[in-house]
């Protein structure tokens, strides 16, 4: 099955700086890679996703890049703000075969220092 | 659109009791997924259901856990004879009918189960 590794587990950046979170996956057949933001006491919220036929996707201050050859993908947040503080999860899924759910990384606790 | 509704938000059970967690998917969504989250851990896939069908239960423990998504009403995750190790946050997610592309899941706010 799929295995997703996520780094770092904790990331502290100054407000206004950029933050980068990296994930690797093991199943070369995986073709869908969403990122979720989870605030304390809440459910995960989808913030951006990318499919394997695309190398990069951007939505305002958030961007995701995918390197299929190396089997890794990254989340980039620019001009960080206090409200970006949360736990971020990457995930991967193979939609071509079975009906398994998403496989998640263990999460990155992003702390924005004022 | 009320989103994915889970209840109860918090559930306390004594060891040996049964826990029933409910999930109503977003309007128009026909796929339901259950995940378990332990403290400081990611989300672990448990089961994927469509109406009246279990599509994939590869993440469900073999004993004491069951799930259903009846024709009418919410999806139910049932844990019989709960033990302390079942204490976790249980999240339900839903997605629309998959037409060959994955859609992002919409998660509920979760049920936090505490076994005492």
């Amino acid at each position: 099955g799929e295995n997703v590794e996520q780094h770092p587990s904790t990331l502290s950046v100054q407000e206004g700086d950029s933050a980068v979170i990296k994930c690797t996956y093991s199943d070369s057949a995986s073709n869908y890679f969403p990122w979720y933001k989870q605030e304390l006491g809440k459910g995960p919220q989808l913030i951006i996703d990318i499919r394997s036929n695309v190398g990069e996707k951007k939505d305002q201050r958030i961007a995701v890049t995918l390197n299929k050859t190396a089997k890794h993908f990254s989340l980039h947040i620019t001009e960080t703000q206090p409200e970006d503080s949360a736990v971020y999860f990457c995930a991967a899924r193979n939609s071509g075969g079975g009906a398994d759910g998403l496989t998640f990384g263990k999460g990155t606790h992003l702390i924005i220092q004022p | 659109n009320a989103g994915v509704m889970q209840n109860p938000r918090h559930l306390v059970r004594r060891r040996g009791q049964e826990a029933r967690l409910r999930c109503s998917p977003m309007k128009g969504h026909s796929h339901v997924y259950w995940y378990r989250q332990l403290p400081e851990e990611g989300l672990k896939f448990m089961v994927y259901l469509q109406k009246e069908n279990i599509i994939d239960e590869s993440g469900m423990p073999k004993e004491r856990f069951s799930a259903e998504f009846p024709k009418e009403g919410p999806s139910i995750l049932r844990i019989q004879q709960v033990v302390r190790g079942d204490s976790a946050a249980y999240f339900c997610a839903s997605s629309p009918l998959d037409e060959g592309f994955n859609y992002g899941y919409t998660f509920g706010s979760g049920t936090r189960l505490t076994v005492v």
Side-chain angles (χ1 to χ4, degrees):
Chain A
E2 177 64 275
N3 182 48
V4 176
E5 300 283 340
Q6 183 172 348
H7 300 279
S9 56
T10 303
L11 177 60
S12 181
V13 302
Q14 289 293 125
E15 183 179 348
D17 289 349
S18 295
V20 180
I21 302 170
K22 299 181 180 181
C23 288
T24 60
Y25 60 98
S26 61
D27 187 351
S28 57
S30 288
N31 56 11
Y32 176 64
F33 308 93
W35 285 87
Y36 287 83
K37 175 183 181 182
Q38 187 177 25
E39 297 173 322
L40 194 63
K42 297 185 179 180
Q45 179 183 11
L46 177 70
I47 56 172
I48 195 166
D49 57 13
I50 191 167
R51 294 176 175 82
S52 59
N53 58 347
V54 175
E56 183 175 356
K57 184 175 177 181
K58 194 172 182 180
D59 182 4
Q60 298 183 344
R61 295 187 298 109
I62 294 173
V64 57
T65 59
L66 171 65
N67 183 327
K68 282 171 35 179
T69 303
K71 288 189 284 187
H72 69 69
F73 56 113
S74 300
L75 177 72
H76 304 252
I77 306 174
T78 58
E79 300 173 18
T80 52
Q81 300 169 4
E83 54 265 35
D84 295 330
S85 294
V87 180
Y88 291 80
F89 293 98
C90 63
R93 183 180 176 188
N94 172 5
S95 64
D100 292 349
L102 292 168
T103 300
F104 283 82
K106 290 197 173 183
T108 295
H109 187 190
L110 177 61
I111 302 165
I112 306 302
Q113 303 278 6
Chain B
N1 193 333
V4 177
M5 303 301 293
Q6 286 189 252
N7 64 82
R9 290 293 306 274
H10 300 276
L11 182 61
V12 179
R13 284 287 178 265
R14 295 187 185 279
R15 282 178 294 171
Q17 290 185 320
E18 178 181 288
R20 292 172 70 89
L21 288 63
R22 289 177 290 278
C23 169
S24 296
M26 280 186 72
K27 187 176 181 181
H29 285 193
S30 57
H31 298 215
V32 167
Y33 310 82
W34 284 93
Y35 285 80
R36 177 163 63 177
Q37 185 177 38
L38 295 169
E40 305 302 320
E41 297 250 342
L43 295 107
K44 299 291 187 185
F45 168 75
M46 298 181 75
V47 62
Y48 163 36
L49 310 105
Q50 295 178 18
K51 288 280 188 184
E52 300 183 284
N53 268 313
I54 297 174
I55 306 302
D56 181 357
E57 55 183 349
S58 59
M60 289 276 272
K62 297 287 184 244
E63 297 177 349
R64 303 188 296 107
F65 284 72
S66 62
E68 63 176 6
F69 189 15
K71 188 176 179 181
E72 301 290 337
S75 175
I76 305 286
L77 178 67
R78 183 180 177 206
I79 312 172
Q80 295 179 291
Q81 299 173 348
V82 296
V83 300
R84 288 225 169 102
D86 297 332
S87 296
Y90 292 83
F91 289 96
C92 168
S94 71
S95 71
L97 183 64
D98 193 328
E99 298 176 344
F101 296 93
N102 275 286
Y103 291 88
Y105 296 4
T106 300
F107 279 87
S109 296
T111 292
R112 282 147 187 84
L113 172 65
T114 303
V115 179
V116 297

